[in-house]
Amino acid sequence: MKEKNITKPGNYVTPPSPRERAGERFLIDNHGRKINYLRLAVTDRCNLRCFYCMPEEGIDWLARKELMTYEEMLRICALLIKMGIEKIRITGGEPFVRKDIMPFLTELSKLSGLKELTLTTNGVLTAPVVPELKKLGIRSVNLSLDTIDRNRFFAITRRDELPQVLETMDQLLRHGIDVKLNAVVMEGKNTDDIIPLVDLTKDLPVSVRFIEEMPFNGTGTYHPMNWDYVRILQTIKEQYPDIQKITDPQYSTSYNYHIPGHKGSVGIIAAYTRSFCGTCNRIRITPQGMLKTCLYDNGVLNIKDLVREGRSDQDVQTALLNAIGNRAKDGFEAEKNSVHESMAAIGG
Ligand code: SAM
Ligand code: SF4
């Protein structure tokens, strides 16, 4: 029988759209959501110690043999692209602390069918490689920046690296790479930074995105999240009453805004409130090779074991389809019975 284009468990959708007729594949979960975005965490290690992500002493780092090798990751990425993944984001931990990350990114960027390669970084080691990132065709980078005050940066990350991060932002902009600045909003830590960060959008073409704090600090404890997206927006509106809602891109996890006269834009990500699960198009692979079909689940498939058992592409594909065909409806369902790890061990 002729193979259909839609890699969906169960019934296939007919008739085929023009893209399907052109041979493109679509990966659809059991709730009808298209999955076309992979977030791949290449390490759990990091050169910062952001207190919302991990304790000061760090976490129990994975032994090298527990990490997926670059070859294993390339094989799985190639397979997932054939199944319908179009965009891959490299994350961690801090991607640039893993040895030989640039040759890996180079190989990844060559995978046939990949439409977008992007990454999330803390920016400490990134500035010198920005020209290479540009050459690889990376068009957009997410840079974590919770404050532009050096003392508060130290208090949050436990490292004095703000100048390096700002240099990375500068280099990215000089090379024409889109910059999204990610700021986790935390009571008593950086709420005074909300307006100074928004002010950056006046002269810089950056998108500043405020993220609700999630319970992934690696300590097993969590304080109440009292800065939700409503409160963050209200705080911005007090300073900028003429801020305007703009159209959110398809699959966007942020509510997006623009202040008249500003070059950049502002986004708010309701990561804890989880208002975007209905259109979630993403899956994750952790540094140790676990597939997560939701940020809040415990990992639903050990891909690394399948690969190291010598399973065929067909077997791995079947296991992936099965996992994606049994996806939780939303983060609240996925969270049941799940343990909250450090975000560095998940790949935020
Ligand atoms: N090290 C890189 C960085 O910081 O950009 C990439 C990995 S980091 C885990 C990815 C993103 O997760 C960062 O933007 C960070 O701010 C966010 N993050 C980490 N812990 C978080 C938490 N508890 N709540 C919300 N966002 C968090
Ligand atoms: Fe490191 Fe990123 Fe976690 Fe900060 S948020 S400790 S930079 S992995």
Side-chain angles (χ1 to χ4, degrees), residues 52-53 91-94 120-122 144 182 184 212-214 343 348:
Y52 50 77
C53 180
T91 180
E94 173 51 34
T120 300
T121 174
N122 63 28
S144 295
N182 285 349
V184 180
E212 290 176 352
E213 186 179 0
M214 292 180 276
M343 190 68 103

Side-chain angles (χ1 to χ4, degrees), residues 289-309:
M290 287 298 291
L291 174 75
K292 285 168 83 82
T293 54
C294 173
L295 176 60
Y296 283 87
D297 72 35
N298 248 353
V300 295
L301 176 70
N302 191 326
I303 301 175
K304 185 184 67 194
D305 278 359
L306 293 179
V307 169
R308 293 189 183 173
E309 284 162 11

